[in-house]
Structure formats: structure tokens, C-alpha cells
Amino acid sequence: QSALTQPASVSGSPGQSITISCTGTSSDVGGYNFVSWYRQNPGKAPKFMIYDVSNRPSGVSDRFSGSKSGNTASLTISGLQAEDEADYYCSSFTGSNTWVFGGGTKLTVL
Amino acid sequence: QVQLVQSGAEVEKPGASVKVSCKASGFTFSSHHMHWVRQAPGQGLEWMAIINPSGTSATYAQKFQGRITVTRDTSTSTLYMELSSLRSEDTAVYYCARDQGGSHSLKFDFWGQGTLVAVSS
């Protein structure tokens, strides 16, 4: 199972919106509505931000939203803040009780 | 409070095996699926395995089939991951994670602190 494809880096200025894409295949992202997104700060364990494509766990800001179209899922962060600077990873169910992560995207807040 | 406390760093030679533990507390261990995820230095996350709440069934990423064994001891609330035939590419931080459950999305609400496994001759 190959890793999902994410851009290596994205950037934005405070207050702007950015979108991180996560491209898979019909066997993972496109086949199931079980995409999650994680944020990882340096030296820390990841924190899950979105599950089931577009649902936010309690405590996650509504500035974070998720969507999916075909084989590509997306994470959008609106009203960008300095504290959003981190690495972001998508994951998808691939069937048969297995999952795959994306390669990760480094978000820089300019 | 929920805690997942992993065993300490390991240095192993190529071809050897390593067994990492993850002791859970603060929640009903036998009610949650548990996973192992690893992260090589400067690299991304890699899903490795899941084990069901009772420990009767584990599923592994195809990449690790035949080299990995995940078990859990509900009497001591401890999760284990053993990886054999180690090679340098296995050098990584290994994390255990609790799945919140409720869907097939990965919903890791608690993580262990990570265990560095270094493979070097």
C-alpha cells in the first residue's frame, strides 16, 4: 500500500486560508469516507484534527475543515494563525482493517 | 487520566529482534482497539498494526507481514510490538496509540511518548 500523496509544503500569511490536499486511489481515499487528518508539532505526538472526512473532534477549532472529492481529500485551515505552523498528515482506511498515512505537509505561517 | 507509557530506547544490530511495550492506565484497556505507528527520523508517519480489544485478532500492514507480532495482556493493561529481522531502515520512533473508536477512521486520541529503536551494526 503506497503512502497517500500530499504536497511537501504549503505556506500562508496570518488570517489567510490554506488547503492541503491528500490524493489516493479508489482503494483508499476514493473508496471510503474514513479520512482523518493529524497535526504534529516538532518533537510531539500527533493530534487528530478531523475524522470521517469532515468531522471535528471536540475541542478542535472550527477553523479546521475537511472535504473530499473523488480520490482527493482536503484539509482547509481558515484564519491562519502562527500556532497552526506544524506538519499535517492525512490517513485513510484501505479496507481489510488496514490504513495508510500521507507523506506529510509542512505548513509555514509567513 | 489516560496514560500510555512506553518502554525505553533500544539499540539493536541488524537481524535482531526488538520488543516494545506500552502500559496503559486511566481507562478500560480491554475496551479499545490499539495501534502501532512509527516515524523514521525526519520522515512521515507509517501505520503498522492494529489489535482488537480482546487481543484475539491483529492486522498488520503488508510491508511488515511476517516480521511483526502485536499482542496485548489485558491483565496488566500492556500492549506489545515485536519486530524481527531488523534492518537499518527500521530505525524510527515507534508509537502506540489508542483508537477512540466509532468508525473506520483513525481516531487516535491518546499516544504513547514514543520509543526510539535504532538499528546499527
Side-chain angles (χ1 to χ4, degrees):
Chain A
Q1 181 70 48
S2 299
L4 306 174
T5 300
Q6 298 181 231
S9 64
V10 298
S11 62
S13 300
Q16 288 186 329
S17 293
I18 62 95
T19 296
I20 299 172
S21 61
C22 169
T23 301
T25 69
S26 58
S27 297
D28 39 63
V29 175
Y32 308 96
N33 288 323
F34 298 128
V35 174
S36 299
W37 288 90
Y38 286 80
R39 177 177 72 190
Q40 186 178 33
N41 292 101
K44 302 289 189 182
K47 173 186 176 181
F48 88 106
M49 309 297 286
I50 295 285
Y51 67 95
D52 292 353
V53 176
S54 60
N55 292 330
R56 280 187 308 275
S58 60
V60 172
S61 170
D62 60 4
R63 297 186 299 106
F64 292 82
S65 62
S67 62
K68 191 186 87 167
S69 178
N71 297 337
T72 299
S74 299
L75 172 71
T76 297
I77 308 173
S78 60
L80 206 57
Q81 300 177 1
E83 67 201 47
D84 297 328
E85 187 163 294
D87 294 327
Y88 290 83
Y89 295 90
C90 61
S91 73
S92 176
F93 183 62
T94 63
S96 302
N97 223 25
T98 60
W99 288 262
V100 65
F101 279 101
T105 298
K106 181 176 180 61
L107 169 62
T108 300
V109 180
L110 302 171
Chain B
Q1 71 283 21
V2 174
Q3 282 194 303
L4 297 173
V5 179
Q6 297 184 220
S7 48
E10 305 267 11
V11 180
E12 302 291 349
K13 293 194 182 308
S17 297
V18 69
K19 190 170 187 177
V20 180
S21 67
C22 168
K23 183 165 177 60
S25 61
F27 67 101
T28 304
F29 183 63
S30 57
S31 294
H32 288 265
H33 287 82
M34 299 293 294
H35 297 249
W36 286 96
V37 174
R38 77 177 185 180
Q39 187 168 33
Q43 302 300 309
L45 302 173
E46 183 170 28
W47 180 82
M48 300 179 70
I50 179 176
I51 187 166
N52 69 348
S54 63
T56 57
S57 177
T59 306
Y60 308 120
Q62 189 172 9
K63 174 177 181 176
F64 302 104
Q65 291 275 2
R67 289 208 297 142
I68 188 172
T69 303
V70 171
T71 57
R72 63 195 295 168
D73 183 342
T74 53
S75 68
T76 61
S77 297
T78 304
L79 174 72
Y80 299 96
M81 187 280 300
E82 183 169 22
L83 191 62
S84 63
S85 301
L86 290 169
R87 33 219 191 218
S88 58
E89 310 89 88
D90 293 318
T91 294
V93 174
Y94 290 75
Y95 292 101
C96 60
R98 186 184 89 159
D99 197 322
Q100 191 177 79
S103 86
H104 284 299
S105 287
L106 292 182
K107 299 165 65 183
F108 298 155
D109 55 356
F110 289 95
W111 297 68
Q113 81 276 21
T115 295
L116 175 63
V117 174
V119 182
S120 173
S121 54

